[in-house]
Structure formats: structure tokens, C-alpha cells
């Protein structure tokens, strides 16, 4: 139950990639890291569909990384064709009873003519529960992959942090108006404990225009200050523009200020869950901000932008690239859950209606839904590609 290349490729967004301030060089420097990241994310997404389908007794005809002509492949003992295809912008799992890679069902005549044995292995003859589980398994696998990656990073590399200390305050900034002073240490925002400067930046960055309550340690006293982050466009040293909430506070990092906290696997797993939730929360906040006019839609990108960012992140190292894979995995998992026909979420919407009605939607209704979904996906594809071209032309 996997959408076509438009889903796995063009629907990839960079909603959470503003923090990657790195520089890539050359076409090869973009393509190889991009394919590395994309292959990891797509493989585990499709593996989720595949494993649950096998568990539910559905015959899997094809497991493909990429679309179009086959480059290489083999058949396993269950008859599944595992292959790598020529267009590396996604992947799909095709089930017995599917008409296409998008998991659209074969005609009713074809399904009705199946034998009892064939029906047992047909995706579209399964009850609505198993079908929904198979569809949902792809996005769920993306979330699990991200949690595992974050857990491993925290376990083996620790959690780097710097105290949320105020070393410099911009004149007439939100921090100056709130009464911050040099030497203050922020310990909590709206009652949420702040363990590092990056923790404070994350909260402030996504809450521009909102009045926040800061608990501040000043000497031996604890004060309560109210501040409203300002919405600014900030250009980093690589020319990337970020729209963030800013207080106007600077933290000067001296040798020894950055502390790497070693954590046990259980704590690392919890941190991985929290990190995954942060990305989900930020994605939903950004999308809501686009519709309300609070956020700019020009941050939505497609394969070109993802390839550029992958090349930039690769210059830091493999660990940073794997971290990027986790972020993209979350974004793809979440976007695939949107209730748009062609996406996994669209299939789940149809199944929910089927469960309520006691019977599936008519073929015509499903066909119209897929056409509408295709139109929406095509529009997003064009918009994302337009943003990519503008971004590349300006860089």
C-alpha cells in the first residue's frame, strides 16, 4: 500500500532541516549522500509494509527500491521479486491483487474470479483491519527507524550541551526589553526545564510572537521574566535563510563549555522518542503556520533541495548524515499519514469509511479520490520544484 514516486520523492520536505548549516561541493557531492539517505529511509518504509503483509498472509509480488526499468534483482523463496530500479526517487511494495504500484485494486471482475487459494493471499480480500495495519506499517517503520537512530547516537556519542547562559544581549532586542542581564542562566520556559542553550533556542525559535515565561537564575536568586521572541530572517554563513523566533541573546562558547553527557541505553531511548516527537511537533506547527500565514511556504522543498542539503551535511561526516536520515524518515512518515488519496493516509481514510459503513466505497468513488489525490500531489510537486529552482538560483 505504497504511493508512487511522487510520494517518496517530491513529498519529501525540509521542514526541519534549517539547523544543518553545512556546505556541499559539486554534483557528485550531492547525489551520493542524497541516495544514501533516501535509500535508508525508503527501504525501512517499504520494509514495514512488507513485514506486516507477510504476517497477515498477503502475497508480496515486488519489493522495489526505485521506479522504472529494473537494474538488478532476485526472487526469494516466497516468490517476491526484490529489485533495484532505474529511477531512485522512492520505492514500492506490490501485493497480489494490486493493479499498480500505488496499490490500486485490480478490477472487480479480476478480484471476483480469484480462487479461494488466491483470495487467501490477496491484499484486497483481507479484512479492513489487516489492510489498515499493512498500510500504517510503512509510516510507523519510519518513526521507529528515527527513534532507533537517535537512540544509537545518544548512546554511543552522548548528548552535547552548553548551559543556557546569557553572555551578550542585543540592544533593543526582546531580551533587553524583558530585563535579561549578562550572566543570567535560563532554567525553565513556561515551566519546562531547560537543560542547555539549544533547548532554549528550540523553544524560542518556534514561538515567535508569543509571550514566554522565563525562570532565570541570577546569582543566588531566581527571577521570573516575560519575553516575546521576535520573528526574524537569519542568513547563516552558507547563505541559507532561516525564519526563527529570536530573543537577541548570544552564548559565547569557550573551551570546556560544551559538555557531552553520556547516557545509558534506556535514557537514550527516551531521548530518541522526545527528539522524534519534537520533529513531528515542529512539522505540524510549520504546516499550520503556512496555512495561517505565519510561516513562509518557500521552505517546502523537493529532491533538488534534499540533495543539496544531503551534500552539505555529508561534509560534517557520516554521523550527521545518519542524523539527517532520521529527520527525513520522520517527515516522510508523517506526511504519508496525511489523509490524501495516493498517500498511506488516504488509504487509511478509505478503510475508516469502510469500517463505519460496513462495506468499501464504490470503485468510482475510490477512482475519483485517487484522481483528486494525484492532482494534489502534482501541484505540490510543481510547487516544491519551483521552490528548489529559486533556492538554487539564489545560492
Amino acid at each position: 500500500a505504497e504511493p508512487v514516486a511522487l510520494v517518496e520523492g517530491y513529498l519529501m520536505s525540509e521542514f526541519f532541516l534549517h539547523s544543518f548549516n553545512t556546505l556541499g561541493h559539486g554534483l557528485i557531492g550531492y547525489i551520493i549522500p542524497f541516495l544514501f539517505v533516501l535509500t535508508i529511509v525508503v527501504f525501512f518504509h517499504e520494509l514495514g509494509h512488507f513485514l506486516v503483509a507477510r504476517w497477515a498472509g498477503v502475497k508480496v509480488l515486488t519489493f522495489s527500491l526505485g521506479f522504472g526499468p529494473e537494474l538488478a534483482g532476485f526472487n526469494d523463496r516466497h516468490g517476491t521479486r526484490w529489485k533495484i530500479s532505474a529511477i531512485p526517487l522512492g520505492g514500492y511494495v506490490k501485493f497480489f491483487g494490486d493493479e499498480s504500484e500505488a496499490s490500486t485494486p485490480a478490477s472487480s471482475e479480476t478480484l471476483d474470479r480469484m480462487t479461494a487459494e488466491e483470495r487467501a493471499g490477496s491484499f484486497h480480500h483481507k479484512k479492513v483491519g489487516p489492510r489498515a495495519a499493512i498500510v500504517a506499517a510503512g509510516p510507523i517503520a519510519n518513526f521507529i527507524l528515527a527513534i532507533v537512530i537517535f537512540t544509537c547516537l545518544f548512546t554511543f556519542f552522548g548528548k552535547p550541551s552548553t548551559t543556557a547562559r546569557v553572555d551578550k544581549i542585543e540592544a533593543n532586542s526582546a531580551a533587553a526589553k524583558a530585563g535579561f542581564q549578562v550572566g543570567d542562566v535560563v532554567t525553565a520556559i513556561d515551566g519546562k526545564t531547560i537543560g542547555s542553550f539549544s533547548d532554549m533556542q528550540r523553544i524560542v525559535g518556534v514561538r515567535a510572537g508569543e509571550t514566554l515565561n522565563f525562570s532565570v537564575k541570577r546569582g543566588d536568586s531566581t527571577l521570573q521574566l516575560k519575553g516575546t521572541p521576535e520573528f526574524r530572517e537569519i542568513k547563516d554563513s552558507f547563505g541559507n535563510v532561516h525564519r526563527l523566533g529570536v530573543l537577541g541573546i548570544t552564548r559565547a562558547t569557550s573551551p570546556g563549555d560544551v559538555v557531552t553527557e553520556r547516557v545509558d541505553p534506556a535514557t537514550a531511548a527516551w531521548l530518541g522518542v522526545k527528539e522524534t516527537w519534537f520533529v513531528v511537533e515542529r512539522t505540524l506547527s510549520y504546516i499550520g503556520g503556512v496555512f495561517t500565514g505565519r510561516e513562509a511556504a518557500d521552505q517546502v522543498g523537493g529532491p533538488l533541495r534534499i540533495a543539496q542539503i544531503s551534500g552539505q551535511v555529508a561534509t560534517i561526516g557520516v554521523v550527521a548524515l545518519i542524523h539527517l536520515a532520521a529527520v527525513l524518515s520522520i517527515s516522510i512518515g508523517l506526511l504519508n499519514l496525511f489523509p490524501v488519496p495516493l498517500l498511506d493516509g488516504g488509504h487509511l481514510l478509505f478503510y475508516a469509511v469502510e469500517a463505519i459503513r460496513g462495506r468499501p466505497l464504490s470503485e468510482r468513488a475510490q477512482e475519483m479520490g485517487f484522481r483528486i489525490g494525484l492532482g494534489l500531489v502534482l501541484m505540490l510537486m510543481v510547487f516544491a520544484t519551483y521552490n528548489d529552482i529559486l533556492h538554487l538560483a539564489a545560492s
Side-chain angles (χ1 to χ4, degrees):
E2 176 48 36
V4 291
L6 300 173
V7 175
E8 299 289 13
Y10 285 100
L11 285 187
M12 289 177 138
S13 72
E14 60 158 22
F15 296 152
F16 293 99
L17 303 182
H18 306 307
S19 62
F20 292 105
N21 302 324
T22 56
L23 184 63
H25 299 281
L27 187 61
I28 298 300
Y30 290 159
I31 292 177
I32 294 178
F34 171 64
L35 293 180
F36 173 78
V37 169
L38 183 62
T39 299
I40 292 175
V41 173
V42 171
F43 175 78
F44 279 95
H45 182 101
E46 303 305 335
L47 187 64
H49 292 314
F50 173 83
L51 291 177
V52 177
R54 280 278 177 85
W55 169 79
V58 173
K59 183 178 180 181
V60 182
L61 300 177
T62 308
F63 187 116
S64 177
L65 290 177
F67 295 85
E70 178 180 324
L71 299 179
F74 67 93
N75 291 333
D76 66 18
R77 61 188 180 89
H78 297 285
T80 301
R81 182 66 178 177
W82 295 73
K83 65 180 183 177
I84 298 175
S85 300
I87 304 174
L89 291 180
Y92 63 90
V93 172
K94 186 176 182 181
F95 304 122
F96 184 67
D98 285 349
E99 182 180 43
S100 68
E101 291 83 351
S103 200
T104 53
S107 66
S108 57
E109 292 81 5
T110 301
L111 294 177
D112 290 340
R113 287 198 303 267
M114 287 185 179
T115 65
E117 183 180 357
E118 289 174 332
R119 288 169 179 261
S122 169
F123 173 79
H124 300 284
H125 283 95
K126 294 296 180 182
K127 292 183 178 180
V128 67
R131 277 183 280 136
I134 292 169
V135 171
I140 291 173
N142 283 131
F143 297 133
I144 293 174
L145 172 62
I147 292 171
V148 170
I149 289 176
F150 289 140
T151 298
C152 291
L153 293 179
F154 286 126
T155 299
F156 296 110
F157 298 96
K159 181 185 178 183
S161 65
T162 57
T163 306
R165 188 182 68 225
V166 178
D167 291 330
K168 184 180 179 181
I169 302 173
E170 294 181 18
N172 300 317
S173 65
K177 296 173 184 176
F180 279 93
Q181 295 182 10
V182 173
D184 287 348
V185 176
V186 177
T187 58
I189 299 178
D190 285 346
K192 183 177 181 179
T193 301
I194 299 299
S196 67
F197 195 79
S198 62
D199 288 345
M200 179 175 68
Q201 286 180 310
R202 282 189 169 188
I203 295 176
V204 170
V206 299
R207 298 185 63 181
E210 299 181 33
T211 300
L212 305 178
N213 297 305
F214 295 86
S215 296
V216 177
K217 184 177 181 181
R218 182 178 296 169
D220 296 327
S221 303
T222 298
L223 309 177
Q224 300 297 320
L225 302 177
K226 292 183 180 293
T228 305
E230 301 170 349
F231 205 41
R232 292 189 195 174
E233 288 191 355
I234 301 174
K235 182 176 288 190
D236 61 29
S237 58
F238 305 113
N240 298 312
V241 176
H242 313 290
R243 296 180 178 87
L244 302 169
V246 174
L247 278 175
I249 290 174
T250 302
R251 173 71 159 91
T253 305
S254 304
D257 277 355
V258 179
V259 178
T260 300
E261 178 186 356
R262 308 295 292 186
V263 295
D264 59 85
T267 302
W270 174 239
L271 291 174
V273 171
K274 291 174 64 177
E275 190 75 6
T276 300
W277 175 246
F278 170 78
V279 177
V280 170
E281 189 178 39
R282 179 67 186 105
T283 299
L284 296 177
S285 175
Y286 173 80
I287 294 173
V290 169
F291 283 103
T292 59
R294 186 170 176 269
E295 297 277 6
D298 61 1
Q299 296 302 303
V300 178
L304 295 178
R305 190 96 64 94
I306 299 300
Q308 181 187 35
I309 292 172
S310 298
Q312 293 175 346
V313 172
T315 63
I316 299 178
V318 175
V319 172
L321 198 59
I322 292 175
H323 185 282
L324 173 62
V327 174
L328 286 177
S329 187
I330 298 167
S331 296
I332 288 178
L334 183 60
L335 291 174
N336 265 285
L337 287 175
F338 282 16
V340 176
L342 276 185
L343 300 179
D344 292 331
H347 289 283
L348 292 173
L349 177 62
F350 285 163
Y351 299 155
V353 173
E354 179 181 343
I356 294 171
R357 297 175 74 235
R359 64 184 187 278
L361 292 171
S362 66
E363 289 186 20
R364 178 172 176 76
Q366 292 190 50
E367 181 182 357
M368 289 300 297
F370 281 116
R371 288 183 179 181
I372 293 171
L374 178 60
L376 293 173
V377 169
L378 287 173
M379 286 190 292
L380 182 57
M381 176 189 74
V382 172
F383 180 70
T385 303
Y386 174 75
N387 280 346
D388 287 353
I389 293 173
L390 289 182
H391 180 82
L392 292 173
S395 61

